[in-house]
Amino acid sequence: MNSKHLKIRIDQCKLIASNSPCPRGQVGAIILDPESNAIISDGFNGTPRKSTGQLCSGSFCKREIDNIVSGTQNDIGCHHAEANAILNAARIGVSTLNRWLIVNRDPCLMCSKLIHHAGIIRVYSPKLEQTAGLTYLKDNGVEVIAI
């Protein structure tokens, strides 16, 4: 992917992230077909589709108040953007096999496992720090490219 197209896709991730109600951090993810460069799915961090929102605390983040490290204790809080993008593809029957994912925040370990298991072969990520998620992806043959 050339730098112009990558910039456009990153901007799209940020726009999708702006839909997130999370006061802690807004994350957006898109899944691309590398052959056509078409977006096949997207997601942002938020409550499950049509849920009552009981997993989130509204205008404050329970995970932040309880000092829960990002990517841990995922039973508390919203679905992550990467998980939502994968689930949205599954919901409409679109394959994620051999696709690429772009995300505006480094994936946590849980999301990295989902990305790998979904058959996504490349992840564009900020790669700001060495995380368990990025290590997992690399160790399992998923290409990680810094944006």
Side-chain angles (χ1 to χ4, degrees):
M1 177 179 312
N2 69 40
S3 61
K4 179 183 175 185
H5 285 119
L6 184 57
K7 167 98 172 76
I8 291 168
R9 295 304 189 201
I10 293 165
D11 289 344
Q12 288 173 311
C13 277
K14 291 175 183 175
L15 183 61
I16 291 164
S18 71
N19 289 302
S20 172
C22 182
R24 185 178 194 180
Q26 296 180 318
V27 183
I30 57 175
I31 300 174
L32 295 175
D33 177 343
E35 291 184 24
S36 66
N37 197 31
I39 295 173
I40 63 160
S41 186
D42 62 32
F44 56 88
N45 55 321
T47 57
R49 182 183 312 276
K50 297 183 181 179
S51 75
T52 60
Q54 297 299 316
L55 294 176
C56 292
S57 301
S59 62
F60 66 92
C61 180
K62 179 164 177 42
R63 296 175 56 78
E64 192 165 87
I65 290 168
D66 292 347
N67 292 318
I68 298 171
V69 176
S70 184
T72 65
Q73 291 183 268
N74 293 308
D75 55 322
I76 300 169
C78 298
H79 286 267
H80 291 188
E82 305 93 326
N84 270 333
I86 292 166
L87 291 167
N88 287 338
R91 185 173 191 260
I92 59 172
V94 175
S95 176
T96 56
L97 188 61
N98 297 318
R99 306 298 196 205
W100 296 352
L101 183 135
I102 301 174
V103 63
N104 67 324
R105 187 172 188 173
D106 295 336
C108 71
L109 180 57
M110 178 194 69
C111 287
S112 294
K113 291 179 193 178
L114 293 174
I115 290 164
H116 171 240
H117 196 77
I120 293 169
I121 59 172
R122 179 182 289 175
V123 174
Y124 289 89
S125 169
K127 206 171 167 185
L128 299 174
E129 55 189 65
Q130 191 61 16
T131 64
L134 292 177
T135 300
Y136 177 90
L137 290 172
K138 292 176 196 171
D139 288 350
N140 286 281
V142 177
E143 185 179 13
V144 178
I145 298 175
I147 53 175

